[in-house]
Amino acid sequence: MKSREELQASMEAGLAAGEEKITALKAKMADAGDSASDEAANALAQAEKALEAGKAKLSELAAASDESFEEMRASAEENWASISDQMEQGWASVSEKVKSFFS
């Protein structure tokens, strides 16, 4: 079982990676301008929503007392796995749409 610090560090690393991917994608879509597809924009919005959910969960865990953190640990790990999956699915969807657009 991960310690509080390990769980937070893992979440922070995942969120940072997600932010980097989204920033890079936004730059590509900005370069594409009006020719970027609505599908890609929707997929990007979903990835951003998942990223925001992850940030909210991290803030909740960081602010939790030691006692409430222990109560939240199992659901936090499960929720984080779900949020990570959502971000990755959103990123994969956006990546495919952007790759096909730019190729």
Side-chain angles (χ1 to χ4, degrees):
M1 186 179 300
K2 291 182 180 180
S3 71
R4 180 182 190 137
E5 292 78 19
E6 291 170 327
L7 182 58
Q8 284 183 238
S10 173
M11 290 175 76
E12 288 168 355
L15 291 170
E19 284 182 336
E20 288 176 15
K21 290 176 180 180
I22 287 172
T23 299
L25 182 58
K26 282 181 176 180
K28 285 183 179 181
M29 290 181 70
D31 288 344
D34 290 340
S35 47
S37 75
D38 288 340
E39 256 186 306
N42 288 337
L44 175 60
Q46 289 174 347
E48 287 178 312
K49 185 177 178 181
L51 183 67
E52 290 307 312
K55 287 179 182 180
K57 181 54 73 176
L58 176 59
S59 292
E60 183 182 330
L61 288 173
S65 67
D66 288 341
E67 184 178 304
S68 52
F69 175 81
E70 289 304 321
E71 293 171 7
M72 296 168 52
R73 179 191 305 271
S75 74
E77 289 177 341
E78 185 177 306
N79 286 340
W80 175 246
S82 173
I83 290 167
S84 294
D85 288 347
Q86 289 173 17
M87 284 192 327
E88 283 303 314
Q89 288 171 1
W91 173 249
S93 174
V94 170
S95 291
E96 283 305 310
K97 290 175 177 117
V98 170
K99 283 178 192 173
S100 66
F101 177 76
F102 289 105
S103 54

